[in-house]
Amino acid sequence: MKQISKSTSTLLFIFLTGVLVVVAFISYNRILQYSKSVDSVLHTHMVKSEIVEVLSNLTDAENSQRGFLLTNDSVYIQLFAMAADRNKLVFAKLESLTSDNEEQKMKLKKLKKLVNERFVLLDNNLGILKDFRSLFRDSALLIGKSKMDEVRNQVALMLLQEDRLLAERTHVKDRTASITPIVLLVLSLFSILVVTLFFFRLQKETSARISIAESNLLLEEAKRQMEASEFQFRTFADSIQNLAWIADGEGLISWYNKRWLDYTGLTLEEMRGWGWQKVHHPDHVERIVELSKQLWKKNQAFELTFPLRRHDGVYRWFLTRGFPIKNPLGIIDRWIGTNTDITEQKSSTEELEKKVSERTKELQIQNETFGLAENIAKFGSYTWHITTGVLEYSDNLFRLFDCEPQEFVPSLEKFLSFIHPDDLQQVINNGHLTRQTGELVEMPYRIISKTGNTKYFRSNGHFSGEGLHRLLIGTVQDISSDVASSIILKSKNLELANMNAELASFNYVASHDLQEPLRKIQGFSKRIMDKDGEKLSDTTKDYFNRIQAAAKRMQNLIESLINFSRTNIEEIKFEKTDLNLTLTEVKSVLNDLLIKKNAVIDAQALPKLNAVPLQMHQMFLNIIGNSLKYSKPDVALLINITAEKVSIDGSGENIELNGTFWKIAFTDNGIGFEQEYETRIFEVFQRLHGRTEYEGTGIGLAICKKIAQAHNGAISATAELGVGATFTVYLQADNKS
């Protein structure tokens, strides 16, 4: 029995071994199936990630195009080329990853074709954008947008296909994960039952030893399979460019890939759990910790951006993506995440946003400045699209029609509705002529505003663009005040013409009719004095002398009035005049008086300028004669004449001039006058002394003032009573009148 028992035991042992081998094979097969399902899920995630990378690279290329459009910076063209190169690598990966999926291979082929077409469009657009920033650009961008929409649709189709594969593979994985423990449990129970039934009779020690050995074998096999599966995942994670990590359901990180540890320079033990806070920027760590706690509780995928410290102390920006892994009961067992370096993209985006913001502020300031200029200058601007007939008005153009900005939709018909009925046909004709010739006809016209006001407008502008994109860009100015001023000016000119005619008649009367009686009075008085002077009493002689003196003063007064009036009405002819010769002529005329007054004229070199020679002679004669007249009787008269070219901006020395002038100063050591009378001495018939004290009509300096004004200049005087006076004449240096 013992022998039989031993044989039976041997057979039972062999049978049990076979059963365990079968159980182990089935267990291994189930674990292998689970590992394959996990690999297929990871494969699908990789395909989706690469597909999204295609769209991301294409978006980077578009952003580069926009950056170049806004900044005209060639660095964005380099970013564009980099995006194109990255997509070539991504397509190579996708072709490898989808080699076993014919449907996805066909879609990938179409996607690659669309992406290449989009890059060709972007490349062409960059060429266009370098030279044209008009509606050509808008058309090119619209075509590009359409092609981009096709790419997005194709990407969406491929992602949808991968989502279906992911769902199927996830279902297989989950089903495998759920069935495998049950199968293993059933097989284990079966093994235990067999061991219990057939080996119960075996010796306890043998049975226990065999059971322990078999159990250890199973455990070692399971452990090996788990280690192999984990090795495969970690190998994959270590091969990718991104930083990767695994956390438990509570968010405590238990594993980092090699790139993470190399980047941070820390060990896995230092980083476990919440140790990742050590490499976060102090300004961000509190925010990230709080957000992380909230995201772990939401049980859904998430994205975060933050700076991470590199092993050399440099912080770089990363985009982290976390994906939850759930068990069959829907509970999250673990989190898988990646961190992508986005420092360059973030810097480019921030720089682009900064430039866009700065450019937006500049445009706002320009728009506000232009709007203010329109309001001040009483004009508005418009843009007329010739092909479509669309009109665009500035806000102030609406205001010129007494309307609120954007109160109505601008159109040619609406514009014509404002035109005054008497000017409507002419405006229409001018519009036809403008379209035919390509040149805007500029002619004042009247409009009747919304409030019933009649205004005068003038339009101007120029054409831009060609073909379908031809534009007329221009301005409309309210010239009502100019028209009103023109009407007033015409009226004043008519009045002036009448006054000049009357003044000419006065000159004739003064020159002939008024002087004729004076000449007879002087002539008859002189004849009486010559013929009967000895017979006349002293009193009668005195009366005749007074009559002759009065007649002489009257004649001088009439001649001065004629000279004063001719300063305005006689034809003025400007010619090159040497003031040095003018001074010589005046000194010759006044020679006797200069000798009598013992006067000396000390003059610097005087300029040559465009002037009326006769008026210059008259002005020098009057000013020097004025100094001779008001000289001190017991002091030799000294007259200094200086000349210098000066620039005057605004007002100074009681004059209001702008430009370059010759400043000619006449300074004497005569009796002078009180400064408060400076303005008075340049007025007609104004005298500071009695007729018996000093001769004169009181018109000489008034004539000087009118001569200076006729030469776009001015005259002023400064003096001190008992010391002397200075008369300063300003004559325009570049006078071309």
Side-chain angles (χ1 to χ4, degrees):
M1 288 294 297
K2 289 184 179 180
Q3 187 63 35
I4 294 174
S5 177
K6 289 182 179 180
S7 299
T8 302
S9 297
T10 302
L11 292 174
L12 290 175
F13 175 77
I14 294 173
F15 175 76
L16 181 59
T17 302
V19 170
L20 291 177
V21 169
V22 171
V23 170
F25 178 78
I26 295 173
S27 299
Y28 173 80
N29 187 54
R30 299 304 302 179
I31 293 173
L32 186 61
Q33 290 181 12
Y34 179 73
S35 177
K36 288 181 178 180
S37 65
V38 171
D39 290 342
S40 66
V41 170
L42 291 175
H43 179 273
T44 303
H45 279 298
M46 289 177 64
V47 173
K48 289 183 65 178
S49 175
E50 295 300 327
I51 292 172
V52 171
E53 182 67 15
V54 170
L55 189 58
S56 175
N57 289 334
L58 192 53
T59 302
D60 289 343
E62 284 195 323
N63 289 338
S64 299
Q65 176 186 264
R66 295 190 189 98
F68 179 75
L69 172 62
L70 292 173
T71 65
N72 201 25
D73 192 343
S74 60
V75 72
Y76 290 102
I77 298 179
Q78 298 176 5
L79 295 176
F80 168 82
M82 292 172 61
D85 293 339
R86 289 199 303 271
N87 251 6
K88 291 179 182 177
L89 297 176
V90 173
F91 275 114
K93 287 185 180 180
L94 282 172
E95 289 174 353
S96 174
L97 292 172
T98 59
S99 60
D100 60 343
N101 189 329
E102 290 299 323
E103 183 178 356
Q104 283 294 69
K105 284 171 66 178
M106 295 299 294
K107 291 179 179 178
L108 178 62
K109 184 177 180 180
K110 182 177 180 180
L111 176 61
K112 186 175 182 180
K113 178 175 178 295
L114 291 173
V115 170
N116 289 336
E117 290 175 352
R118 178 56 179 144
F119 269 101
V120 170
L121 284 174
L122 287 173
D123 190 47
N124 291 338
N125 289 347
L126 286 175
I128 294 174
L129 291 173
K130 291 177 181 178
D131 300 317
F132 301 96
R133 297 182 180 271
S134 63
L135 293 180
F136 289 115
R137 177 198 64 198
D138 297 335
S139 174
L141 294 179
L142 287 174
I143 294 173
K145 179 182 181 301
S146 174
K147 185 61 64 178
M148 188 63 182
D149 291 340
E150 292 183 39
V151 172
R152 289 194 177 96
N153 291 337
Q154 188 64 20
V155 168
L157 289 175
M158 293 189 70
L159 289 177
L160 182 62
Q161 176 68 17
E162 290 299 324
D163 287 338
R164 287 198 296 267
L165 289 174
L166 180 62
E168 294 173 359
R169 291 171 179 175
T170 302
H171 177 71
V172 172
K173 176 182 72 65
D174 292 343
R175 183 177 61 187
T176 303
S178 61
I179 293 177
T180 297
I182 296 175
V183 171
L184 292 177
L185 178 61
V186 171
L187 291 176
S188 299
L189 291 175
F190 177 76
S191 299
I192 294 172
L193 180 61
V194 170
V195 171
T196 302
L197 292 176
F198 291 95
F199 285 87
F200 184 78
R201 295 168 57 188
L202 295 177
Q203 296 177 352
K204 295 181 178 180
E205 183 177 346
T206 303
S207 178
R209 191 164 45 247
I210 293 174
S211 177
I212 292 172
E214 293 296 335
S215 297
N216 288 337
L217 181 62
L218 288 174
L219 289 174
E220 289 177 1
E221 182 66 18
K223 182 178 180 181
R224 188 182 68 79
Q225 294 296 329
M226 292 295 293
E227 289 177 349
S229 177
E230 183 177 352
F231 175 77
Q232 290 178 356
F233 172 77
R234 293 187 179 185
T235 301
F236 163 73
D238 285 335
S239 67
I240 63 176
Q241 296 294 326
N242 297 341
L243 313 183
W245 48 268
I246 299 176
D248 61 19
E250 300 298 325
L252 296 176
I253 298 180
S254 58
W255 178 84
Y256 295 93
N257 69 344
K258 185 176 183 300
R259 288 190 179 276
W260 179 290
L261 299 177
D262 291 343
Y263 177 84
T264 60
L266 300 177
T267 64
L268 181 61
E269 292 301 323
E270 292 175 310
M271 299 288 289
R272 285 186 188 276
W274 292 86
W276 48 264
Q277 298 178 54
K278 299 174 183 177
V279 295
H280 276 261
H281 195 283
D283 296 341
H284 294 267
V285 64
E286 184 176 349
R287 172 180 67 90
I288 298 304
V289 169
E290 186 61 30
L291 283 175
S292 298
K293 291 179 179 179
Q294 296 176 10
L295 293 172
W296 301 134
K297 296 178 181 179
K298 289 184 178 181
N299 297 335
Q300 62 186 20
F302 63 85
E303 291 184 356
L304 283 175
T305 57
F306 44 72
L308 290 177
R309 188 184 68 239
R310 200 165 57 190
H311 58 82
D312 57 1
V314 175
Y315 284 91
R316 297 183 64 83
W317 279 87
F318 283 83
L319 167 66
T320 185
R321 295 185 177 95
F323 305 93
I325 305 299
K326 300 180 181 180
N327 62 20
L329 299 178
I331 299 174
I332 296 177
D333 284 335
R334 67 177 65 184
W335 291 83
I336 296 177
T338 60
N339 292 65
T340 304
D341 192 331
I342 60 170
T343 304
E344 284 73 18
Q345 296 93 316
K346 186 174 181 63
S347 298
S348 299
T349 301
E350 290 176 349
E351 183 65 23
L352 182 59
E353 289 176 350
K354 180 181 178 181
K355 291 182 178 179
V356 169
S357 176
E358 292 175 351
R359 182 57 179 162
T360 300
K361 291 179 180 178
E362 291 177 2
L363 291 176
Q364 288 175 346
I365 294 173
Q366 290 176 3
N367 289 337
E368 291 174 0
T369 302
F370 187 69
L372 181 60
E374 285 189 349
N375 194 27
I376 294 173
K378 294 184 179 180
F379 76 91
S381 57
Y382 65 89
T383 302
W384 184 21
H385 300 261
I386 304 300
T387 304
T388 62
V390 174
L391 267 173
E392 298 173 4
Y393 285 175
S394 67
D395 288 349
N396 207 54
L397 186 50
F398 283 95
R399 297 188 185 100
L400 293 182
F401 290 110
D402 292 338
C403 298
E404 292 297 324
Q406 311 305 321
E407 181 175 324
F408 58 85
V409 177
S411 66
L412 184 59
E413 292 75 15
K414 184 65 176 179
F415 169 73
L416 292 176
S417 69
F418 286 104
I419 303 299
H420 193 284
D422 295 342
D423 296 342
L424 180 59
Q425 189 57 49
Q426 185 61 47
V427 170
I428 293 174
N429 294 339
N430 290 342
H432 292 320
L433 186 59
T434 295
R435 298 193 69 167
Q436 291 173 3
T437 63
E439 295 292 335
L440 185 67
V441 179
E442 296 186 18
M443 186 195 77
Y445 55 89
R446 290 169 291 175
I447 66 101
I448 300 176
S449 71
K450 176 184 175 182
T451 57
N453 294 324
T454 299
K455 299 181 180 181
Y456 284 84
F457 281 3
R458 179 188 288 118
S459 300
N460 57 44
H462 69 278
F463 286 88
S464 176
E466 297 293 339
L468 297 177
H469 307 292
R470 192 159 177 78
L471 302 174
L472 175 60
I473 303 172
T475 61
V476 176
Q477 186 174 14
D478 183 352
I479 60 171
S480 301
S481 58
D482 294 341
V483 172
S485 298
S486 178
I487 294 173
I488 294 173
L489 182 60
K490 288 180 180 179
S491 176
K492 295 294 185 182
N493 286 338
L494 182 59
E495 292 179 8
L496 183 59
N498 294 333
M499 291 174 63
N500 286 338
E502 294 175 358
L503 190 56
S505 299
F506 165 77
N507 283 337
Y508 179 81
V509 172
S511 300
H512 299 84
D513 298 347
L514 290 180
Q515 292 198 57
E516 181 61 26
L518 288 176
R519 283 193 291 270
K520 289 182 178 181
I521 292 172
Q522 289 175 315
F524 286 126
S525 298
K526 186 176 185 301
R527 290 175 64 182
I528 292 172
M529 289 291 292
D530 291 341
K531 184 177 181 181
D532 300 321
E534 296 178 356
K535 300 177 183 180
L536 299 177
S537 65
D538 292 338
T539 301
T540 302
K541 290 179 180 179
D542 181 57
Y543 289 157
F544 274 107
N545 288 330
R546 291 188 182 187
I547 290 172
Q548 287 183 330
K552 181 63 177 176
R553 286 196 302 274
M554 185 65 179
Q555 186 176 31
N556 290 338
L557 181 59
I558 292 173
E559 290 176 353
S560 296
L561 286 172
I562 292 172
N563 289 333
F564 183 78
S565 63
R566 284 178 177 171
T567 305
N568 283 338
I569 66 173
E570 67 183 3
E571 182 178 356
I572 297 177
K573 183 178 180 181
F574 284 77
E575 58 185 66
K576 203 70 173 180
T577 303
D578 187 346
L579 297 185
N580 296 289
L581 295 179
T582 301
L583 177 60
T584 300
E585 293 171 357
V586 170
K587 288 166 68 175
S588 177
V589 172
L590 298 174
N591 184 60
D592 292 341
L593 190 55
L594 289 170
I595 295 174
K596 180 180 178 181
K597 293 284 187 176
N598 195 23
V600 176
I601 298 178
D602 182 12
Q604 293 181 355
L606 300 177
K608 296 179 182 179
L609 45 74
N610 284 329
V612 181
L614 182 60
Q615 291 187 354
M616 291 294 101
H617 184 279
Q618 184 71 44
M619 183 170 63
F620 272 59
L621 186 65
N622 289 354
I623 294 176
I624 295 174
N626 190 77
S627 295
L628 290 168
K629 184 187 305 181
Y630 296 105
S631 61
K632 297 175 182 178
D634 54 348
V635 177
L637 178 63
L638 176 62
I639 302 174
N640 288 316
I641 304 176
T642 61
E644 63 175 324
K645 186 179 287 189
V646 296
S647 295
I648 302 177
D649 182 11
S651 61
E653 300 184 24
N654 298 324
I655 58 172
E656 293 185 0
L657 298 173
N658 280 284
T660 303
F661 295 84
W662 279 106
K663 178 182 178 183
I664 304 171
F666 299 80
T667 304
D668 63 46
N669 59 345
I671 64 172
F673 59 86
E674 294 182 356
Q675 190 63 36
E676 61 181 293
Y677 297 117
E678 182 213 356
T679 305
R680 180 178 171 184
I681 64 176
F682 292 110
E683 297 177 3
V684 180
F685 302 131
Q686 295 297 317
R687 301 169 55 91
L688 302 184
H689 306 86
R691 186 182 298 114
T692 58
E693 297 180 72
Y694 297 94
E695 296 181 358
T697 61
I699 299 179
L701 292 179
I703 292 175
C704 292
K705 179 178 180 182
K706 296 185 78 68
I707 291 173
Q709 291 174 342
H711 288 73
N712 300 321
I715 186 171
S716 65
T718 57
E720 184 177 350
L721 190 62
V723 176
T726 298
F727 290 88
T728 305
V729 180
Y730 295 88
L731 300 175
Q732 195 167 42
D734 54 353
N735 197 343
K736 298 180 181 180
S737 300

